[in-house]
């Protein structure tokens, strides 16, 4: 199975900061990566698909990039509602695999 | 709007069986692949299984292969997960989730989840 190595596992930041989360795939997966946001007790929410496409209704401060094995999720200016846990997902081949998650906390 | 509602969870003893259901509405259920994804308490997301739009293809994580079976009834807009030989490590919130396409692709909508606890 493809391994998705996500970093960092946790991150402290302030409102207005720019933050970047990365995922590295154990083999090339073209641009078949999605990013999700999850808040405590809630289901995940799709933010980015196909590595860089913004899901409808998601604020433009979220962006994604990458191809092959290296992918990033960037939040350009953190808002209070962005403090949550973020996951990458490879949807290139079954079995799908998620990254371990990044918990974004308020500094 | 797209809705996915899981049911059937609860407390079950190790080695026993349980069947989860997921009722879908707000979209043409028979046109989409559907997944099960789980999350152990305090842990990350783990993909479990997927079934194609017409039920002809199924895929499983190694951790559940041979013990879990995914199925669907398109006439009832319902997805199922039959879980046999349950283990303590199967304790998790189980989400059903829609694939954006009939084939492989990203997951776009999720249910609220249903807790399964495997404990004696």
């Amino acid at each position: 199975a493809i391994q998705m190595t996500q970093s960092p596992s946790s991150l402290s930041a302030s409102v207005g900061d720019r933050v970047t989360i990365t995922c590295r795939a154990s083999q090339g997966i073209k641009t078949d990566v999605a990013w999700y946001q999850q808040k405590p007790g809630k289901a995940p929410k799709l933010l980015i698909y196909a590595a860089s496409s913004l899901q409808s209704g998601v604020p433009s401060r979220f962006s994604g990039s990458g191809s092959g094995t290296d992918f990033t999720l960037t939040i350009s200016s953190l808002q209070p509602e962005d403090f949550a846990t973020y996951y990458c997902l490879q949807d290139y081949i079954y079995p799908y695999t998620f990254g371990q998650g990044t918990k974004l906390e308020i500094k | 709007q797209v809705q996915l509602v899981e049911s059937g969870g609860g407390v079950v003893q190790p080695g026993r069986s349980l069947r989860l259901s997921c009722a879908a509405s707000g979209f043409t259920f028979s046109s989409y692949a559907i997944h099960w994804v789980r999350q152990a308490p305090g842990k990350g997301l783990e993909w479990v299984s997927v079934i194609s739009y017409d039920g002809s293809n199924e895929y499983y994580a190694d951790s559940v292969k041979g013990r879990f079976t995914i199925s669907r009834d398109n006439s009832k807009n319902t997805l199922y997960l039959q879980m046999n030989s349950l283990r303590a490590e199967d304790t998790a919130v189980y989400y059903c989730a829609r694939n954006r396409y009939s084939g492989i692709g990203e997951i776009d909508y999720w249910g609220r989840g249903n807790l399964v606890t495997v404990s004696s």
Side-chain angles (χ1 to χ4, degrees), chain A residues 1 34 36 38 41-46 48-50 55 87 89 91-100, chain B residues 35 37 39 43-47 50 59-61 95 99-101 103-112:
Chain A
Y36 298 86
Q38 188 180 33
K42 300 292 187 183
K45 173 187 172 184
L46 176 64
I48 300 288
Y49 62 96
Q55 172 71 351
Y87 294 93
L89 168 71
D91 53 52
Y92 176 73
I93 193 169
Y94 297 126
Y96 282 7
T97 41
F98 288 92
Q100 302 94 320
Chain B
H35 302 259
V37 176
Q39 186 168 35
K43 302 297 184 183
L45 299 169
E46 179 187 15
W47 181 84
V50 65
Y59 299 90
Y60 298 92
Y95 295 99
N99 204 76
R100 188 190 291 276
Y101 308 109
I104 200 164
E106 66 274 3
I107 293 170
D108 61 354
Y109 287 96
W110 300 66
R112 292 188 176 182

Side-chain angles (χ1 to χ4, degrees), chain A residues 3 19 34 36 41-42 47 49 52 55 60-61 64 72 78 81:
Chain A
Q3 310 275 344
V19 299
Y36 298 86
K42 300 292 187 183
L47 301 174
Y49 62 96
S52 60
Q55 172 71 351
S60 59
R61 62 181 180 273
T72 60
L78 274 173
E81 61 269 28

Side-chain angles (χ1 to χ4, degrees), chain B residues 21-118:
Chain B
S21 300
C22 171
S25 61
F27 65 103
T28 305
F29 181 71
S30 59
S31 296
Y32 294 85
I34 308 288
H35 302 259
W36 287 102
V37 176
R38 68 185 181 182
Q39 186 168 35
K43 302 297 184 183
L45 299 169
E46 179 187 15
W47 181 84
V48 173
S49 182
V50 65
I51 188 166
S52 60
Y53 69 100
D54 61 356
S56 61
N57 291 291
E58 307 156 26
Y59 299 90
Y60 298 92
D62 286 346
S63 58
V64 306
K65 200 174 293 183
R67 299 188 299 123
F68 289 13
T69 302
I70 192 171
S71 62
R72 65 191 296 162
D73 186 337
N74 285 346
S75 68
K76 296 182 178 179
N77 289 349
T78 303
L79 174 77
Y80 303 100
L81 186 67
Q82 177 67 43
M83 303 184 292
N84 298 332
S85 302
L86 282 161
R87 306 167 180 167
E89 54 265 36
D90 295 319
T91 294
V93 173
Y94 284 74
Y95 295 99
C96 68
R98 192 186 80 165
N99 204 76
R100 188 190 291 276
Y101 308 109
S102 60
I104 200 164
E106 66 274 3
I107 293 170
D108 61 354
Y109 287 96
W110 300 66
R112 292 188 176 182
N114 198 218
L115 178 62
V116 172
T117 303
V118 184

